[in-house]
mmCIF file with all atom_site columns, all heavy atoms in Angstrom:
data_model
loop_
_atom_site.group_PDB
_atom_site.id
_atom_site.type_symbol
_atom_site.label_atom_id
_atom_site.label_alt_id
_atom_site.label_comp_id
_atom_site.label_asym_id
_atom_site.label_entity_id
_atom_site.label_seq_id
_atom_site.pdbx_PDB_ins_code
_atom_site.Cartn_x
_atom_site.Cartn_y
_atom_site.Cartn_z
_atom_site.occupancy
_atom_site.B_iso_or_equiv
_atom_site.pdbx_formal_charge
_atom_site.auth_seq_id
_atom_site.auth_comp_id
_atom_site.auth_asym_id
_atom_site.auth_atom_id
_atom_site.pdbx_PDB_model_num
ATOM 1  N N   . ASP B 1 118 ? -43.232 -78.789 17.217 1.00 98.00 ? 118 ASP B N   1
ATOM 2  C CA  . ASP B 1 118 ? -42.559 -79.511 18.326 1.00 98.00 ? 118 ASP B CA  1
ATOM 3  C C   . ASP B 1 118 ? -41.056 -79.817 17.990 1.00 98.00 ? 118 ASP B C   1
ATOM 4  O O   . ASP B 1 118 ? -40.212 -79.598 18.904 1.00 98.00 ? 118 ASP B O   1
ATOM 5  C CB  . ASP B 1 118 ? -43.258 -80.867 18.632 1.00 98.00 ? 118 ASP B CB  1
ATOM 6  C CG  . ASP B 1 118 ? -44.607 -80.591 19.306 1.00 98.00 ? 118 ASP B CG  1
ATOM 7  O OD1 . ASP B 1 118 ? -44.734 -79.551 20.020 1.00 98.00 ? 118 ASP B OD1 1
ATOM 8  O OD2 . ASP B 1 118 ? -45.555 -81.414 19.161 1.00 98.00 ? 118 ASP B OD2 1
ATOM 9  N N   . GLU B 1 119 ? -40.791 -80.041 16.754 1.00 98.00 ? 119 GLU B N   1
ATOM 10 C CA  . GLU B 1 119 ? -39.364 -80.296 16.422 1.00 98.00 ? 119 GLU B CA  1
ATOM 11 C C   . GLU B 1 119 ? -38.574 -78.984 16.623 1.00 98.00 ? 119 GLU B C   1
ATOM 12 O O   . GLU B 1 119 ? -37.466 -79.007 17.181 1.00 98.00 ? 119 GLU B O   1
ATOM 13 C CB  . GLU B 1 119 ? -39.140 -80.662 14.916 1.00 98.00 ? 119 GLU B CB  1
ATOM 14 C CG  . GLU B 1 119 ? -39.608 -82.114 14.666 1.00 98.00 ? 119 GLU B CG  1
ATOM 15 C CD  . GLU B 1 119 ? -39.806 -82.300 13.114 1.00 98.00 ? 119 GLU B CD  1
ATOM 16 O OE1 . GLU B 1 119 ? -39.044 -81.630 12.303 1.00 98.00 ? 119 GLU B OE1 1
ATOM 17 O OE2 . GLU B 1 119 ? -40.626 -83.085 12.738 1.00 98.00 ? 119 GLU B OE2 1
ATOM 18 N N   . LEU B 1 120 ? -39.166 -77.881 16.146 1.00 98.00 ? 120 LEU B N   1
ATOM 19 C CA  . LEU B 1 120 ? -38.505 -76.557 16.346 1.00 98.00 ? 120 LEU B CA  1
ATOM 20 C C   . LEU B 1 120 ? -38.288 -76.320 17.842 1.00 98.00 ? 120 LEU B C   1
ATOM 21 O O   . LEU B 1 120 ? -37.180 -75.868 18.309 1.00 98.00 ? 120 LEU B O   1
ATOM 22 C CB  . LEU B 1 120 ? -39.290 -75.460 15.732 1.00 98.00 ? 120 LEU B CB  1
ATOM 23 C CG  . LEU B 1 120 ? -39.155 -75.233 14.196 1.00 98.00 ? 120 LEU B CG  1
ATOM 24 C CD1 . LEU B 1 120 ? -40.032 -74.069 13.840 1.00 98.00 ? 120 LEU B CD1 1
ATOM 25 C CD2 . LEU B 1 120 ? -37.711 -75.044 13.815 1.00 98.00 ? 120 LEU B CD2 1
ATOM 26 N N   . ILE B 1 121 ? -39.329 -76.593 18.637 1.00 98.00 ? 121 ILE B N   1
ATOM 27 C CA  . ILE B 1 121 ? -39.292 -76.261 20.100 1.00 98.00 ? 121 ILE B CA  1
ATOM 28 C C   . ILE B 1 121 ? -38.062 -77.125 20.707 1.00 98.00 ? 121 ILE B C   1
ATOM 29 O O   . ILE B 1 121 ? -37.323 -76.594 21.501 1.00 98.00 ? 121 ILE B O   1
ATOM 30 C CB  . ILE B 1 121 ? -40.624 -76.571 20.753 1.00 98.00 ? 121 ILE B CB  1
ATOM 31 C CG1 . ILE B 1 121 ? -41.598 -75.538 20.294 1.00 98.00 ? 121 ILE B CG1 1
ATOM 32 C CG2 . ILE B 1 121 ? -40.473 -76.562 22.277 1.00 98.00 ? 121 ILE B CG2 1
ATOM 33 C CD1 . ILE B 1 121 ? -43.072 -75.827 20.765 1.00 98.00 ? 121 ILE B CD1 1
ATOM 34 N N   . THR B 1 122 ? -37.979 -78.324 20.236 1.00 98.00 ? 122 THR B N   1
ATOM 35 C CA  . THR B 1 122 ? -36.887 -79.180 20.700 1.00 98.00 ? 122 THR B CA  1
ATOM 36 C C   . THR B 1 122 ? -35.508 -78.543 20.358 1.00 98.00 ? 122 THR B C   1
ATOM 37 O O   . THR B 1 122 ? -34.663 -78.411 21.217 1.00 98.00 ? 122 THR B O   1
ATOM 38 C CB  . THR B 1 122 ? -36.904 -80.555 20.078 1.00 98.00 ? 122 THR B CB  1
ATOM 39 O OG1 . THR B 1 122 ? -38.250 -81.112 20.253 1.00 98.00 ? 122 THR B OG1 1
ATOM 40 C CG2 . THR B 1 122 ? -35.892 -81.499 20.684 1.00 98.00 ? 122 THR B CG2 1
ATOM 41 N N   . LYS B 1 123 ? -35.373 -78.015 19.154 1.00 98.00 ? 123 LYS B N   1
ATOM 42 C CA  . LYS B 1 123 ? -34.154 -77.308 18.848 1.00 98.00 ? 123 LYS B CA  1
ATOM 43 C C   . LYS B 1 123 ? -33.910 -76.098 19.676 1.00 98.00 ? 123 LYS B C   1
ATOM 44 O O   . LYS B 1 123 ? -32.818 -75.801 20.132 1.00 98.00 ? 123 LYS B O   1
ATOM 45 C CB  . LYS B 1 123 ? -34.137 -76.869 17.316 1.00 98.00 ? 123 LYS B CB  1
ATOM 46 C CG  . LYS B 1 123 ? -34.050 -78.129 16.365 1.00 98.00 ? 123 LYS B CG  1
ATOM 47 C CD  . LYS B 1 123 ? -34.093 -77.729 14.969 1.00 98.00 ? 123 LYS B CD  1
ATOM 48 C CE  . LYS B 1 123 ? -34.010 -78.961 14.087 1.00 98.00 ? 123 LYS B CE  1
ATOM 49 N NZ  . LYS B 1 123 ? -34.136 -78.681 12.632 1.00 98.00 ? 123 LYS B NZ  1
ATOM 50 N N   . VAL B 1 124 ? -34.943 -75.352 19.942 1.00 98.00 ? 124 VAL B N   1
ATOM 51 C CA  . VAL B 1 124 ? -34.890 -74.227 20.812 1.00 98.00 ? 124 VAL B CA  1
ATOM 52 C C   . VAL B 1 124 ? -34.445 -74.578 22.149 1.00 98.00 ? 124 VAL B C   1
ATOM 53 O O   . VAL B 1 124 ? -33.455 -74.009 22.759 1.00 98.00 ? 124 VAL B O   1
ATOM 54 C CB  . VAL B 1 124 ? -36.214 -73.430 20.844 1.00 98.00 ? 124 VAL B CB  1
ATOM 55 C CG1 . VAL B 1 124 ? -36.185 -72.324 21.936 1.00 98.00 ? 124 VAL B CG1 1
ATOM 56 C CG2 . VAL B 1 124 ? -36.612 -72.795 19.539 1.00 98.00 ? 124 VAL B CG2 1
ATOM 57 N N   . GLY B 1 125 ? -35.022 -75.640 22.717 1.00 98.00 ? 125 GLY B N   1
ATOM 58 C CA  . GLY B 1 125 ? -34.685 -76.120 24.043 1.00 98.00 ? 125 GLY B CA  1
ATOM 59 C C   . GLY B 1 125 ? -33.217 -76.552 24.148 1.00 98.00 ? 125 GLY B C   1
ATOM 60 O O   . GLY B 1 125 ? -32.521 -76.247 25.131 1.00 98.00 ? 125 GLY B O   1
ATOM 61 N N   . LYS B 1 126 ? -32.715 -77.167 23.106 1.00 98.00 ? 126 LYS B N   1
ATOM 62 C CA  . LYS B 1 126 ? -31.317 -77.569 23.147 1.00 98.00 ? 126 LYS B CA  1
ATOM 63 C C   . LYS B 1 126 ? -30.379 -76.412 23.099 1.00 98.00 ? 126 LYS B C   1
ATOM 64 O O   . LYS B 1 126 ? -29.211 -76.516 23.547 1.00 98.00 ? 126 LYS B O   1
ATOM 65 C CB  . LYS B 1 126 ? -31.062 -78.585 21.950 1.00 98.00 ? 126 LYS B CB  1
ATOM 66 C CG  . LYS B 1 126 ? -31.633 -79.997 22.114 1.00 98.00 ? 126 LYS B CG  1
ATOM 67 C CD  . LYS B 1 126 ? -31.241 -80.865 20.976 1.00 98.00 ? 126 LYS B CD  1
ATOM 68 C CE  . LYS B 1 126 ? -31.753 -82.289 21.295 1.00 98.00 ? 126 LYS B CE  1
ATOM 69 N NZ  . LYS B 1 126 ? -31.926 -83.088 20.042 1.00 98.00 ? 126 LYS B NZ  1
ATOM 70 N N   . ALA B 1 127 ? -30.814 -75.302 22.514 1.00 98.00 ? 127 ALA B N   1
ATOM 71 C CA  . ALA B 1 127 ? -29.953 -74.133 22.429 1.00 98.00 ? 127 ALA B CA  1
ATOM 72 C C   . ALA B 1 127 ? -29.901 -73.355 23.773 1.00 98.00 ? 127 ALA B C   1
ATOM 73 O O   . ALA B 1 127 ? -29.102 -72.482 23.951 1.00 98.00 ? 127 ALA B O   1
ATOM 74 C CB  . ALA B 1 127 ? -30.417 -73.237 21.358 1.00 98.00 ? 127 ALA B CB  1
ATOM 75 N N   . GLN B 1 128 ? -30.795 -73.747 24.672 1.00 98.00 ? 128 GLN B N   1
ATOM 76 C CA  . GLN B 1 128 ? -30.834 -72.997 25.971 1.00 98.00 ? 128 GLN B CA  1
ATOM 77 C C   . GLN B 1 128 ? -29.767 -73.508 26.834 1.00 98.00 ? 128 GLN B C   1
ATOM 78 O O   . GLN B 1 128 ? -29.462 -74.715 26.942 1.00 98.00 ? 128 GLN B O   1
ATOM 79 C CB  . GLN B 1 128 ? -32.228 -73.264 26.633 1.00 98.00 ? 128 GLN B CB  1
ATOM 80 C CG  . GLN B 1 128 ? -32.437 -72.527 27.854 1.00 98.00 ? 128 GLN B CG  1
ATOM 81 C CD  . GLN B 1 128 ? -33.875 -72.528 28.404 1.00 98.00 ? 128 GLN B CD  1
ATOM 82 O OE1 . GLN B 1 128 ? -34.505 -73.643 28.263 1.00 98.00 ? 128 GLN B OE1 1
ATOM 83 N NE2 . GLN B 1 128 ? -34.434 -71.451 28.826 1.00 98.00 ? 128 GLN B NE2 1
#
Side-chain angles (χ1 to χ4, degrees):
Chain B
D118 285 333
E119 289 165 30
L120 279 181
I121 292 172
T122 306
K123 290 178 180 177
V124 171
K126 287 184 173 157
Q128 184 169 40

